[in-house]
Structure formats: structure tokens, C-alpha cells
């Protein structure tokens, strides 16, 4: 979820990126902030709702990087939102993606900047994920038109917040505009396994006070998709809203029904009300799985990637256990669930609570910008 950083300050890192900017993006707490963890490499963030024992995770492999996705002109990419396509392949939808020998530094021109991109694993087996293709062949193309239009000293981009499948049709939600200043969001579908995408609809960036910018969809078996959303800006306190929409009406903005509190009770159709208090959110991922629901997210304070498991979309999340999966560690000292500059945390399709996998991104210098596969144990 990164882009060329265009400002520096007196705390710039060795890679040339502003520490303030890195922290804004939620990926700078590992250096100079102390490492959270034990010598065994197992750690938790210590939040008030964390479990008494830590959730354990370990790295399976890099999924992107010069060796993994360089053959598709995409050595530098992040997010990698995973979706199992109708044809059985796994598509990883990347955010800001670059070619060249490093991520652009401040003031450097971006080499072949694309967003979003589709990187494909011909196998969807959790034990055998490997990028061996892309939408575009040897050069991963942008999935939709995004010219990166200059806006002052910045430029627009198209950041994916979710990709999912309903009844054999793929859907993708994008946040458009200058990063962290969302002008609007739009919604797309694909009927050819992500090779081409058709525009469906859009929402204004200021809808519901901006709390409908970053959306993630849980596909239920009751005919509905349930949608959690927040502001897309890690420096802004945001509530988390819940909506539902019939599967056949996903592309109709007027069909999204809010869950809210009114007249002394919660009900569908009431004014949208935050279901999880307010906090600074990074990436969010909401899925129906094993007869339950799971939410994973980048928690900004303290920095960690967390999960919650609950029985219903309307469960009281303020009383649901927060489980810490990933915590920040120092580069070169990554072990267990310690990850240098972590963000993301998207659930890999095919996961179960006994075999739970997530995609974790990191970026801490111009040569370390990627997404990776992690396996999580002890998720309750």
C-alpha cells in the first residue's frame, strides 16, 4: 500500500524515507522503537484484549520480490490480496508496483509504476503457492486504467482493498485518488479469472464521513455479502461500519443496507453506527470461514496484525477477543511472528482455523518491499 515517498525530515531512514512518513503508513515502528518479542521469537502486542498466551506465526516464503515476481516486471510490489479464481488458480492483487533495481526514492522517477496488478499462482494449494504467471504475461499490466495523474507534488493511484468471488464472478474494490486522500472508491468485476475487468459503480470518498472508503467483503451462505469499512488513512481515527448487500446487487450502491443503533437497539436500516469503537486502522480483511467469521487487520497502536473470530456478522466486536498474529521486529532479526515493518494481513483462501494462512507485506528500504506468506497457529 505504498507509493514513492515525497517528503523527508530530520529522522529519515537509511533508505531515504521519512520516519514520519513510514509511521504514517504503519511500517516504520521496527527501527528505533525497540523490538517487541522474546528470544524465542514469539510475541504479542500486549493490548487489553490480547489472549493470555500469544498466537504463534511463522514465515512460509516470500511471494514477491526480484526472484519471485521480477520475471513479470514486478520485482517491487505489496499487498498481494489473495483470491482463488473460478479456474482454480490463485490471483494475488498487488498495490503500487514498480520495475527497476529498487523502489523509487524521494524525488526519483517511478520506473513503470502500475496499480493494481494481478500476479498468479497456478496452484492454489496452501503448501505450494508460487507466482508463475501474471495478468499481462511477462509484463504484469495494471488491471484497470490508472494514469497516476499529478496532483501538486503527488499523484493519484488505485489501491485495492479487497478481491473476492461470488457465484463464479470475481469482484475488486479500489480506493482512488492521492493515497490517504481518497477522492472516490470504485467497484469492478471479472468473468475471465481476473484477466479483464468491467466497471460497476463508485462511491464518493466522503460518504459516511469517509468511513466507507476501505471496504472488505465476507461472502455468506444466506444470500448476502457483509461489508466492513473504515477511513483509508492510518493517521485518522475512524469507526468501523457494517453493511449488507444481496449477492445479486453487489454493483448497486443503493442496495447496501447499514447496521446501526437507533431507538435503544441495533437493527438493519438504522443510521450506520461504528461496530468497533474508533481507532486508527490499517488494512482490513473480513471473511466467512468454517461456519464463523474472521476479521484480520493492521492495528496501528500498538503496531501489530491481529485477528478476531466471531459467530455472526452482527456479533459484538467490542467484546470479542483480539488475537495478535504478527508484531514488528528489526531487519535481520526476524523469527517466528517478528516481522520487520509489517502491514497487510489478508486471509488466504483455503485457510481453516486449524491451517490459517495470511499474506503479510513489508517495506523498510528501497530493496525490501514485498508480500509474504505466513502460517498462524493457535487462532481461537
Amino acid at each position: 500500500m505504498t507509493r514513492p515517498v515525497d517528503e523527508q525530515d530530520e529522522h529519515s531512514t537509511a533508505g531515504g524515507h521519512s520516519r514520519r512518513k513510514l509511521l504514517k503508513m504503519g511500517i516504520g515502528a521496527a527501527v528505533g522503537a525497540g523490538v517487541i518479542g522474546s528470544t524465542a521469537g514469539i510475541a504479542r502486542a500486549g493490548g487489553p484484549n490480547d489472549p493470555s498466551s500469544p498466537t504463534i506465526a511463522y514465515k512460509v516464503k516470500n511471494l514477491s520480490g526480484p526472484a519471485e515476481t521480477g520475471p513479470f516486471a514486478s520485482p517491487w510490489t505489496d499487498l498481494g490480496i489473495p483470491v482463488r479464481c473460478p479456474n482454480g488458480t490463485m490471483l494475488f492483487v498487488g498495490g503500487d508496483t514498480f520495475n527497476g533495481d529498487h523502489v523509487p526514492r524521494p524525488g526519483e522517477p517511478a520506473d513503470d509504476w502500475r496499480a493494481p496488478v494481478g500476479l498468479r499462482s497456478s496452484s492454489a494449494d496452501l503448501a505450494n503457492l508460487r507466482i508463475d504467471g501474471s495478468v499481462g504475461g511477462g509484463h504484469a499490466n495494471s488491471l484497470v486504467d490508472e494514469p497516476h495523474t499529478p496532483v501538486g507534488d503527488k499523484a493519484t493511484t488505485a489501491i485495492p482493498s479487497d478481491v473476492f468471488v461470488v457465484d463464479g464472478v470475481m469482484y475488486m474494490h479500489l480506493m482512488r485518488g492521492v493515497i490517504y486522500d481518497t477522492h472516490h472508491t470504485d467497484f469492478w468485476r471479472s468473468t475471465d479469472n481476473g484477466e479483464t475487468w468491467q466497471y460497476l459503480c463508485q462511491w464518493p470518498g466522503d460518504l459516511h464521513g469517509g468511513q466507507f472508503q476501505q471496504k472488505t467483503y465476507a461472502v455468506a451462505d444466506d444470500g448476502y455479502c457483509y461489508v466492513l469499512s473504515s477511513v483509508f488513512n492510518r493517521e485518522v481515527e475512524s469507526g468501523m461500519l457494517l453493511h449488507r448487500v444481496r449477492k445479486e446487487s453487489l454493483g448497486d450502491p443503493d442496495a447496501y443496507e447499514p447496521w446501526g443503533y437507533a431507538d435503544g437497539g441495533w437493527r438493519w436500516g438504522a443510521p450506520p453506527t461504528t461496530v468497533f469503537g474508533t481507532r486508527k486502522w490499517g488494512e482490513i480483511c473480513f471473511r466467512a470461514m468454517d461456519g464463523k467469521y474472521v476479521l484480520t487487520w493492521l492495528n496501528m497502536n500498538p503496531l501489530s496484525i491481529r485477528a478476531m473470530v466471531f459467530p455472526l456478522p452482527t456479533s459484538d466486536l467490542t467484546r470479542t477477543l483480539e488475537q495478535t498474529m504478527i508484531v514488528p521486529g528489526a531487519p535481520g532479526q526476524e523469527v517466528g511472528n517478528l516481522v520487520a515493518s509489517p502491514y497487510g494481513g489478508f486471509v488466504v483462501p483455503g485457510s481453516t482455523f486449524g491451517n490459517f494462512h495470511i499474506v503479510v507485506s513489508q517495506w523498510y528500504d528501497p530493496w525490501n518491499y514485498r508480500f509474504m506468506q505466513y502460517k498462524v497457529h493457535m487462532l481461537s
Side-chain angles (χ1 to χ4, degrees):
M1 192 167 288
T2 51
R3 58 180 295 275
V5 178
D6 29 49
E7 65 183 61
Q8 299 186 61
D9 61 17
E10 67 275 16
H11 301 296
S12 292
T13 66
H17 297 290
S18 154
R19 176 171 170 76
R20 178 164 61 90
K21 197 73 168 183
L22 289 166
L23 286 168
K24 176 177 180 179
M25 299 175 118
I27 56 179
V31 180
V35 177
I36 305 171
S38 69
T39 56
I42 300 167
R44 63 182 185 273
N49 298 314
D50 277 357
S52 56
S53 61
T55 300
I56 303 171
Y58 69 87
K59 183 176 179 178
V60 178
K61 64 176 67 171
N62 289 336
L63 289 170
S64 76
E68 294 79 13
T69 51
F72 309 101
S74 305
W76 317 111
T77 188
D78 70 345
L79 298 184
I81 302 174
V83 57
R84 186 161 52 193
C85 302
N87 69 354
T89 63
M90 190 82 77
L91 191 69
F92 295 88
V93 177
D96 288 323
T97 301
F98 309 96
N99 211 340
D101 60 6
H102 64 275
V103 179
R105 297 183 180 89
E108 289 184 341
D111 187 353
D112 195 12
W113 182 10
R114 290 146 287 150
V117 298
L119 299 161
R120 197 180 299 278
S121 171
S122 57
S123 169
D125 181 356
L126 296 177
N128 191 37
L129 297 176
R130 179 176 64 88
I131 305 300
D132 53 13
S134 82
V135 177
H139 182 282
N141 295 331
S142 183
L143 299 181
V144 304
D145 182 40
E146 172 47 62
H148 301 298
T149 304
V151 179
D153 61 350
K154 300 181 175 66
T156 63
T157 191
I159 300 298
S161 73
D162 208 0
V163 190
F164 60 98
V165 175
V166 175
D167 297 332
V169 178
M170 299 176 67
Y171 294 89
M172 176 172 63
H173 181 263
L174 301 175
M175 300 171 291
R176 309 299 289 264
V178 174
I179 196 166
Y180 300 122
D181 186 12
T182 301
H183 177 270
H184 69 276
T185 67
D186 52 27
F187 201 48
W188 301 73
R189 75 172 183 176
S190 173
T191 56
D192 59 4
N193 299 293
E195 290 294 314
T196 61
W197 294 85
Q198 297 81 46
Y199 170 84
L200 289 174
C201 63
Q202 70 177 47
W203 294 267
D206 60 358
L207 184 62
H208 302 319
Q211 296 173 121
F212 210 51
Q213 292 173 356
Q214 182 174 219
K215 301 183 191 67
T216 178
Y217 292 69
V219 181
D221 59 6
D222 61 359
Y224 283 95
C225 291
Y226 294 91
V227 187
L228 289 174
S229 64
S230 71
V231 168
F232 175 53
N233 187 329
R234 297 173 182 171
E235 288 190 337
V236 173
E237 293 278 348
S238 171
M240 178 169 283
L241 305 183
L242 173 66
H243 287 72
R244 68 178 182 181
V245 59
R246 298 290 305 182
K247 292 178 181 178
E248 64 270 18
S249 301
L250 278 161
D252 178 5
D254 294 331
Y256 285 65
E257 184 180 18
W259 175 254
Y261 187 84
D263 303 320
W266 289 87
R267 60 178 173 83
W268 292 110
T273 309
T274 180
V275 297
F276 202 1
T278 60
R279 63 176 74 185
K280 296 177 180 178
W281 300 97
E283 292 75 28
I284 56 178
C285 181
F286 186 31
R287 296 292 183 257
M289 196 175 78
D290 290 356
K292 299 181 177 65
Y293 293 84
V294 61
L295 170 66
T296 62
W297 76 97
L298 175 65
N299 197 74
M300 296 306 300
N301 185 25
L303 183 67
S304 52
I305 297 176
R306 298 185 177 190
M308 305 176 83
V309 180
F310 41 95
L312 298 169
T314 55
S315 295
D316 185 353
L317 301 189
T318 66
R319 296 176 178 270
T320 302
L321 186 71
E322 297 186 30
Q323 303 179 62
T324 296
M325 300 182 292
I326 301 292
V327 292
Q333 299 180 28
E334 296 175 288
V335 64
N337 65 343
L338 295 170
V339 179
S341 304
Y343 59 111
F346 300 97
V347 180
V348 181
S351 291
T352 65
F353 292 116
N355 186 30
F356 195 72
H357 292 247
I358 58 175
V359 174
V360 177
S361 292
Q362 70 177 169
W363 178 46
Y364 58 84
D365 68 25
W367 303 275
N368 287 280
Y369 176 63
R370 63 176 61 88
F371 60 84
M372 308 164 287
Q373 180 184 2
Y374 271 76
K375 183 175 181 179
V376 180
H377 295 287
M378 295 174 60
L379 196 65
S380 299

